[in-house]
Amino acid sequence: MTCMTDNDTPEVAPRFLGQDSALPTSPEKAILDYVPNPRDGELYLTRFAVPEFTSLCPVTAQPDFAHLVIDYAPDKTIVESKSLKLFLGSFRNHAAFHEDCTVGIGQRLFSEMNPKWLRIGGYWYPRGGIPIDVFWQSGEPPKGLWIPDQGVASYRGRG
């Protein structure tokens, strides 16, 4: 399915929006959809808060839980949120360390979407009594971009 942009350029329409969509079996098989930025040329920040992210420990296969916060300053495209939800859900049965999950999500979004700037904070709940927080960003934020605090406190029962 295609749709037309303001300059009559055909674009691929989102594949999942408005459709029944199965959860991808792995992050590698997940497809992220990107659509034209409706405010191209504006400097603004988009935030996705994912308070119930789940993956598996690669050693014990026990579930790991995190609160992810993804901030980005779009350029030409934005990520379509249902495809992002399916991508993040595909980690439910994916075994990887916290660092690999957090940094890998940020790097994939950055390399595919090409935003002006992106950062991700992975606030992981304790396993073995130690919470692990993982942060990655694509570089220096653009001058003039308002960047609010991610709003997730250091671990104190994070509720």
Side-chain angles (χ1 to χ4, degrees), residues 107-129:
Q107 288 177 332
R108 177 156 176 199
L109 287 168
F110 185 74
S111 70
E112 291 183 11
M113 183 173 32
N114 297 309
K116 295 174 184 173
W117 176 80
L118 185 141
R119 77 171 174 183
I120 182 170
Y123 301 85
W124 293 83
Y125 289 84
R127 290 278 311 234

Short mmCIF file of all heavy atoms in Angstrom, two decimals, residues 107-129:
data_model
loop_
_atom_site.label_atom_id
_atom_site.label_comp_id
_atom_site.label_asym_id
_atom_site.label_seq_id
_atom_site.Cartn_x
_atom_site.Cartn_y
_atom_site.Cartn_z
N GLN A 107 20.71 2.10 18.74
CA GLN A 107 21.49 2.11 17.49
C GLN A 107 20.64 1.73 16.28
O GLN A 107 20.79 2.32 15.21
CB GLN A 107 22.69 1.17 17.61
CG GLN A 107 23.75 1.73 18.53
CD GLN A 107 24.93 0.79 18.72
OE1 GLN A 107 24.80 -0.43 18.62
NE2 GLN A 107 26.08 1.36 19.03
N ARG A 108 19.74 0.78 16.45
CA ARG A 108 18.90 0.40 15.31
C ARG A 108 17.98 1.55 14.92
O ARG A 108 17.85 1.88 13.73
CB ARG A 108 18.08 -0.85 15.62
CG ARG A 108 17.16 -1.20 14.46
CD ARG A 108 16.75 -2.61 14.39
NE ARG A 108 15.79 -2.79 13.30
CZ ARG A 108 14.99 -3.80 13.19
NH1 ARG A 108 15.04 -4.79 14.08
NH2 ARG A 108 14.15 -3.89 12.19
N LEU A 109 17.33 2.17 15.89
CA LEU A 109 16.46 3.31 15.57
C LEU A 109 17.25 4.43 14.91
O LEU A 109 16.81 5.02 13.92
CB LEU A 109 15.78 3.82 16.84
CG LEU A 109 14.66 2.96 17.39
CD1 LEU A 109 14.28 3.40 18.79
CD2 LEU A 109 13.45 2.99 16.47
N PHE A 110 18.43 4.71 15.44
CA PHE A 110 19.23 5.80 14.89
C PHE A 110 19.69 5.49 13.47
O PHE A 110 19.61 6.35 12.58
CB PHE A 110 20.44 6.09 15.79
CG PHE A 110 21.22 7.28 15.34
CD1 PHE A 110 20.72 8.56 15.53
CD2 PHE A 110 22.45 7.13 14.71
CE1 PHE A 110 21.43 9.67 15.09
CE2 PHE A 110 23.16 8.23 14.28
CZ PHE A 110 22.66 9.50 14.47
N SER A 111 20.15 4.28 13.23
CA SER A 111 20.68 3.96 11.90
C SER A 111 19.58 3.88 10.84
O SER A 111 19.81 4.22 9.68
CB SER A 111 21.48 2.66 11.93
OG SER A 111 20.64 1.54 12.13
N GLU A 112 18.38 3.45 11.22
CA GLU A 112 17.30 3.32 10.23
C GLU A 112 16.53 4.62 10.03
O GLU A 112 16.13 4.94 8.92
CB GLU A 112 16.34 2.21 10.64
CG GLU A 112 16.95 0.83 10.54
CD GLU A 112 15.96 -0.27 10.89
OE1 GLU A 112 14.74 -0.01 11.02
OE2 GLU A 112 16.42 -1.42 11.03
N MET A 113 16.26 5.34 11.10
CA MET A 113 15.42 6.54 11.03
C MET A 113 16.23 7.79 10.68
O MET A 113 15.68 8.74 10.12
CB MET A 113 14.69 6.74 12.36
CG MET A 113 13.75 7.90 12.39
SD MET A 113 12.75 8.03 13.89
CE MET A 113 13.77 7.39 15.19
N ASN A 114 17.51 7.81 11.03
CA ASN A 114 18.37 8.97 10.80
C ASN A 114 17.82 10.25 11.42
O ASN A 114 17.70 11.27 10.75
CB ASN A 114 18.63 9.18 9.30
CG ASN A 114 19.37 8.03 8.69
OD1 ASN A 114 20.40 7.61 9.19
ND2 ASN A 114 18.83 7.49 7.61
N PRO A 115 17.49 10.21 12.71
CA PRO A 115 17.03 11.44 13.35
C PRO A 115 18.20 12.41 13.54
O PRO A 115 19.37 12.03 13.39
CB PRO A 115 16.50 10.96 14.70
CG PRO A 115 17.34 9.77 15.02
CD PRO A 115 17.60 9.11 13.67
N LYS A 116 17.88 13.65 13.92
CA LYS A 116 18.93 14.62 14.23
C LYS A 116 19.71 14.19 15.47
O LYS A 116 20.90 14.47 15.59
CB LYS A 116 18.31 15.99 14.45
CG LYS A 116 17.66 16.56 13.21
CD LYS A 116 16.94 17.86 13.51
CE LYS A 116 16.22 18.35 12.26
NZ LYS A 116 15.37 19.51 12.55
N TRP A 117 19.01 13.52 16.39
CA TRP A 117 19.62 13.11 17.65
C TRP A 117 18.72 12.08 18.30
O TRP A 117 17.49 12.11 18.13
CB TRP A 117 19.80 14.32 18.57
CG TRP A 117 20.34 14.03 19.92
CD1 TRP A 117 21.65 13.83 20.25
CD2 TRP A 117 19.60 13.94 21.14
NE1 TRP A 117 21.77 13.61 21.60
CE2 TRP A 117 20.51 13.69 22.17
CE3 TRP A 117 18.25 14.05 21.46
CZ2 TRP A 117 20.14 13.53 23.50
CZ3 TRP A 117 17.87 13.90 22.78
CH2 TRP A 117 18.81 13.65 23.78
N LEU A 118 19.31 11.14 19.04
CA LEU A 118 18.54 10.12 19.75
C LEU A 118 19.28 9.73 21.01
O LEU A 118 20.51 9.64 21.02
CB LEU A 118 18.34 8.89 18.86
CG LEU A 118 17.45 7.78 19.43
CD1 LEU A 118 16.58 7.18 18.33
CD2 LEU A 118 18.25 6.70 20.12
N ARG A 119 18.52 9.49 22.08
CA ARG A 119 19.09 8.92 23.30
C ARG A 119 18.09 7.90 23.84
O ARG A 119 16.89 8.01 23.62
CB ARG A 119 19.41 9.97 24.35
CG ARG A 119 18.19 10.49 25.10
CD ARG A 119 18.57 11.36 26.27
NE ARG A 119 17.37 11.94 26.86
CZ ARG A 119 17.38 12.78 27.86
NH1 ARG A 119 18.52 13.18 28.39
NH2 ARG A 119 16.25 13.24 28.35
N ILE A 120 18.63 6.92 24.54
CA ILE A 120 17.79 5.92 25.20
C ILE A 120 18.34 5.70 26.61
O ILE A 120 19.55 5.64 26.81
CB ILE A 120 17.73 4.60 24.40
CG1 ILE A 120 16.80 3.59 25.08
CG2 ILE A 120 19.11 4.03 24.15
CD1 ILE A 120 16.49 2.35 24.24
N GLY A 121 17.42 5.62 27.54
CA GLY A 121 17.76 5.25 28.91
C GLY A 121 17.08 3.94 29.23
O GLY A 121 15.86 3.81 29.04
N GLY A 122 17.83 2.97 29.66
CA GLY A 122 17.29 1.68 30.09
C GLY A 122 17.44 1.58 31.60
O GLY A 122 18.57 1.48 32.09
N TYR A 123 16.33 1.66 32.31
CA TYR A 123 16.34 1.62 33.77
C TYR A 123 15.87 0.21 34.16
O TYR A 123 14.67 -0.06 34.21
CB TYR A 123 15.42 2.69 34.33
CG TYR A 123 15.80 4.09 33.89
CD1 TYR A 123 15.36 4.61 32.68
CD2 TYR A 123 16.64 4.86 34.69
CE1 TYR A 123 15.72 5.88 32.29
CE2 TYR A 123 17.01 6.14 34.29
CZ TYR A 123 16.54 6.65 33.09
OH TYR A 123 16.89 7.91 32.70
N TRP A 124 16.83 -0.68 34.39
CA TRP A 124 16.54 -2.09 34.62
C TRP A 124 16.27 -2.37 36.09
O TRP A 124 16.99 -1.88 36.97
CB TRP A 124 17.71 -2.94 34.11
CG TRP A 124 17.83 -2.86 32.62
CD1 TRP A 124 18.46 -1.89 31.90
CD2 TRP A 124 17.26 -3.75 31.68
NE1 TRP A 124 18.33 -2.14 30.56
CE2 TRP A 124 17.59 -3.29 30.39
CE3 TRP A 124 16.51 -4.92 31.78
CZ2 TRP A 124 17.19 -3.93 29.23
CZ3 TRP A 124 16.13 -5.58 30.63
CH2 TRP A 124 16.47 -5.08 29.37
N TYR A 125 15.28 -3.17 36.33
CA TYR A 125 14.92 -3.55 37.70
C TYR A 125 15.96 -4.54 38.22
O TYR A 125 16.61 -5.26 37.46
CB TYR A 125 13.52 -4.14 37.74
CG TYR A 125 12.48 -3.07 37.51
CD1 TYR A 125 12.12 -2.67 36.22
CD2 TYR A 125 11.88 -2.41 38.58
CE1 TYR A 125 11.20 -1.67 36.02
CE2 TYR A 125 10.96 -1.41 38.38
CZ TYR A 125 10.62 -1.04 37.10
OH TYR A 125 9.71 -0.03 36.90
N PRO A 126 16.15 -4.59 39.55
CA PRO A 126 17.23 -5.41 40.12
C PRO A 126 17.10 -6.90 39.83
O PRO A 126 16.01 -7.45 39.81
CB PRO A 126 17.09 -5.19 41.63
CG PRO A 126 16.32 -3.95 41.78
CD PRO A 126 15.43 -3.86 40.59
N ARG A 127 18.24 -7.49 39.56
CA ARG A 127 18.42 -8.94 39.51
C ARG A 127 19.62 -9.20 40.40
O ARG A 127 20.66 -8.58 40.20
CB ARG A 127 18.69 -9.42 38.09
CG ARG A 127 17.53 -9.33 37.15
CD ARG A 127 16.61 -10.51 37.29
NE ARG A 127 17.43 -11.71 37.26
CZ ARG A 127 17.25 -12.72 36.45
NH1 ARG A 127 16.27 -12.73 35.64
NH2 ARG A 127 18.05 -13.76 36.48
N GLY A 128 19.47 -10.05 41.38
CA GLY A 128 20.57 -10.29 42.31
C GLY A 128 20.85 -9.08 43.18
O GLY A 128 21.95 -8.91 43.66
N GLY A 129 19.84 -8.23 43.36
CA GLY A 129 19.96 -7.07 44.24
C GLY A 129 20.60 -5.85 43.62
O GLY A 129 20.80 -4.86 44.30
#
